[in-house]
Amino acid sequence: MATLIIEGGRQLRGEVTASGSKNGALALMAATLLVEGEVVIHNLPRIRDVLTMVEMLRCLGAKPRLSDDGTLVVDASEIITNEAPSHLVSKMRASFQVLGPLLARTGSARVGIPGGCNIGQRPIDLHIKGLTALGATVLNDGGIVEAESSELHGARIYLDFPSAGATAQIMMAATLILGSTTIENAASEPEIQDVARLLNKCGARIQGAGSDTIHIEGVKRLHGAMHDNIPDRIEVGTLALAALNTGGDIFIRGAVSEHCNAVLLKMQEVGARVIEETDGIHVSPLRRPVLAVDLVTLPYPGFPTDLQQPMGAVLATAAGSSVITEKVYEGRFRYLGELERMGAHTRVEGQTAVIRGVTRLHAAHVTAYDLRAGAAMAIAALGAEGTTVISDVEHIRRGYENFEQKLNSLGATVRTGDTPLEEGSSCLE
Ligand code: EPZ
C-alpha cells in the first residue's frame, strides 16, 4: 500500500504549472466515441483515471494512443463493441460517461453501474431520465445498465439537480440524435463547456454550454478535430490552499482564475493575497493564522465540493470556528476524523461540520479515504508539526499528476513508496 511521508513546517515557495483537468479529460475522452475520425487532445494529465479511460477506449475499439507529453490520439471510426468492461467502470465512475455516446453511435449500449465511493451514494437516475427522454429503453438491473432504441429523438429534459455527469452524458448523446434537444437546469462547469467546444469543432451544433440551458441540434456524423484540455481548477485550488497552509508564496502557471472564482474569493476571505495574472495566479498569505469562515459547497459556479476537504484542512488552524455545509455529497466529512488524529477539533451534524481552529496540528499516521480527502491530509501534514504518514495514497494517484514532485519542487519534503502507473490492463471482465 503506497504511503506519503510528509515533513511539516516547510513553506511552499516558487512556481508550479497546473496540469490538464482530470474531470475535463475523462469527459473529452468519452466524447471521442461519437466521432468517426481522428481526434487529437493535448494536455491530458498522466494520472490513473486517464489510463483507465484509455483502456476503456481501447476495449471499445477506438485505438487510443497516449504519449508521454499527455497528447492523446483516438480514432473511434470503428466501434467494435457497445459493451463497456465492468471491471473498468467499477474502477472509475467517469467510465459511465461512455453510455450515451455508445447509444447514440450504435443504437444500444451495456455499461456497468458505477460504484458508489467514499463520498456518497452517487446515483445515476438523472442519466437514465435523460436517455429515456431521448427515446431509449433503459434497463437497470442493479449491476448493468442497458440502453437501446430503434428510434432516438430530440427531447426537452429538466435535470432535478445540475448534475455534471448527467449533463455531459445527455449533451454528448444528443449531438448524434436528429432533432432538437434542450437540457434545462444543466450543469455549467468549465469541463462541460470544454466538451461542447470539442464537439462543436467536430461538427456538432451545441449552444448554451456554460449556462443552465443547453440546446443541441443533432447531426448525422461528427468528424475529427484537435483540442487542448483546460487546466485542472481543482488542482489549482489544492496547490493554492497548500501554499496558504504553509505560509508560503507560489505562482501557479496556467491557472485560469475565472474557473476558480469562488475558491479564490473564499481564500481572500480567510486571509490570502491572490493576484490574478494573465498566465497564472499568485497566492501568498496576508495574515496568519487564517480567519475562520462559513462555507457552503454548491454546483458551479459555487464553491466546489471537491475543494471542501482541502479547505477544511486549512480551517483546522484558523483563528475561530468555521462552519462547513456540504450540499453536494452526503459522505464527504470522513476526513475530519483523520484531522482529529492530528489534533483538530471538529464536530459533524448531518451535512454541517463545525471546525474550531487550533494553533497547530501535529503529525500522525492518517488515511486518505478518497482523492480529495487525500489532498486534504497532505495539506494538513505540510503545516503540521512533525512528520505525517498518509496511507492509501493510491487515491491521490488517481487524480493529481506528479503530486509529490510538484510539492517538493516548491520546497516541501514529501517521500513516497511509489506504485508504478498501470498500463495495458486486460479488456476481459
Ligand atoms: C463530477 O462527478 C466530478 N467527477 C466530481 O469530481 C465532482 O465532485 C462532481 O462532478 C460535482 O462537481 C467527474 O467529473 C469525473 P454529479 P459527477 O453528477 O458527474 C447528484 C473528483 O473528486 N446526482 O454532478 O458524478 C449526486 O447525488 C470527483 O474529482 C443525482 O442525484 O457529479 C450529487 O449529489 C468527485 N442523480 C450531485 O448530483 C444523478 O443521476 C453531484 O453529482 C447524478 C448525480
Side-chain angles (χ1 to χ4, degrees):
M1 172 175 56
T3 60
L4 281 184
I5 300 130
I6 300 182
E7 193 181 306
R10 305 172 71 94
Q11 289 190 342
L12 300 189
R13 292 187 173 284
E15 176 176 319
V16 67
T17 299
S19 294
S21 170
K22 162 181 91 79
N23 292 342
L26 299 174
L28 291 170
M29 292 167 80
T32 63
L33 291 168
L34 293 159
V35 180
E36 293 177 64
E38 184 173 273
V39 178
V40 180
I41 305 174
H42 297 291
N43 197 31
L44 295 187
R46 294 281 305 181
I47 54 177
R48 189 147 302 162
D49 277 6
V50 166
L51 297 181
T52 300
M53 190 60 100
V54 166
E55 286 313 309
M56 175 65 79
L57 294 178
R58 186 169 67 82
C59 293
L60 296 172
K63 300 190 274 297
R65 300 193 309 277
L66 179 63
S67 58
D68 290 344
D69 70 354
T71 295
L72 176 73
V73 179
V74 182
D75 185 337
S77 299
E78 304 296 327
I79 297 283
I80 59 173
T81 173
N82 56 13
E83 184 159 350
S86 296
H87 71 286
L88 293 177
V89 180
S90 61
K91 277 172 77 171
M92 179 183 68
R93 177 179 171 86
S95 311
F96 191 66
Q97 298 280 1
V98 305
L99 178 67
L102 288 174
L103 172 69
R105 273 295 298 279
T106 68
S108 71
R110 277 170 58 87
V111 180
I113 294 273
C117 60
N118 290 323
I119 61 175
Q121 192 244 341
R122 315 296 295 272
I124 57 169
D125 57 310
L126 297 177
H127 295 249
I128 292 174
K129 174 181 180 179
L131 297 180
T132 303
L134 291 170
T137 302
V138 185
L139 301 175
N140 171 3
D141 70 1
I144 295 276
V145 172
E146 282 191 75
E148 64 176 348
S149 168
S150 54
E151 183 62 39
L152 292 168
H153 52 72
R156 188 171 175 193
I157 299 157
Y158 171 76
L159 295 180
D160 304 82
F161 182 93
S163 154
T167 299
Q169 183 93 259
I170 297 161
M171 181 177 76
M172 288 192 283
T175 58
L176 286 183
I177 296 173
L178 294 183
S180 299
T181 295
T182 302
I183 307 172
E184 314 258 2
N185 197 32
S188 58
E189 273 78 352
E191 294 78 22
I192 301 283
Q193 300 172 51
D194 207 41
V195 171
R197 266 193 292 274
L198 166 62
L199 289 174
N200 282 341
K201 285 182 190 175
C202 296
R205 296 170 58 192
I206 303 170
Q207 293 178 318
S211 76
D212 62 2
T213 304
I214 302 177
H215 296 281
I216 305 107
E217 282 300 328
V219 297
K220 283 190 181 306
R221 68 187 299 276
L222 297 173
H223 54 74
M226 189 171 290
H227 191 73
D228 293 326
N229 181 23
I230 56 175
D232 193 314
R233 60 193 170 94
I234 304 302
E235 183 204 30
V236 168
T238 304
L239 293 168
L241 287 164
L244 183 62
N245 203 41
T246 63
D249 180 335
I250 68 170
F251 178 68
I252 308 171
R253 184 166 297 282
V256 176
S257 48
E258 71 183 271
H259 292 171
C260 326
N261 275 335
V263 181
L264 300 179
L265 290 169
K266 189 55 73 173
M267 286 184 64
Q268 287 169 329
E269 275 183 50
V270 305
R273 174 192 292 111
V274 176
I275 302 169
E276 299 171 17
E277 300 180 16
T278 51
D279 55 351
I281 297 172
H282 211 129
V283 176
S284 58
L286 266 180
R287 49 161 294 123
R288 300 205 74 195
V290 297
L291 295 173
V293 291
D294 292 349
L295 176 68
V296 181
T297 66
L298 290 168
Y300 192 86
F303 190 97
T305 174
D306 294 348
L307 286 171
Q308 181 261 108
Q309 296 143 303
M311 177 61 93
V314 172
L315 296 174
T317 56
S321 289
S322 301
V323 179
I324 297 180
T325 306
E326 172 56 67
K327 289 244 184 197
V328 179
Y329 290 114
E330 69 274 19
R332 221 163 191 175
F333 283 142
R334 286 186 69 193
Y335 75 104
L336 293 173
E338 297 305 291
L339 286 182
E340 291 249 329
R341 295 158 60 85
M342 299 176 73
H345 289 195
T346 74
R347 191 178 76 249
V348 177
E349 286 171 14
Q351 289 313 109
T352 298
V354 178
I355 302 177
R356 181 159 53 82
V358 297
T359 306
R360 193 171 183 200
L361 298 181
H362 57 73
H365 191 145
V366 294
T367 300
Y369 285 118
D370 63 75
L371 165 59
R372 308 304 176 183
M377 301 324 296
I379 289 172
L382 287 166
E385 188 165 1
T387 300
T388 297
V389 178
I390 307 174
S391 300
D392 286 355
V393 292
E394 289 80 7
H395 292 296
I396 297 179
R397 298 253 183 295
R398 284 191 49 198
Y400 288 100
E401 183 179 48
N402 298 327
F403 186 68
E404 52 269 32
Q405 292 89 330
K406 290 190 177 187
L407 293 176
N408 287 334
S409 73
L410 294 168
T413 302
V414 182
R415 290 183 290 115
T416 177
D418 214 351
T419 317
L421 287 174
E422 288 159 19
E423 296 262 4
S425 61
S426 156
C427 294
L428 300 178
E429 287 302 289

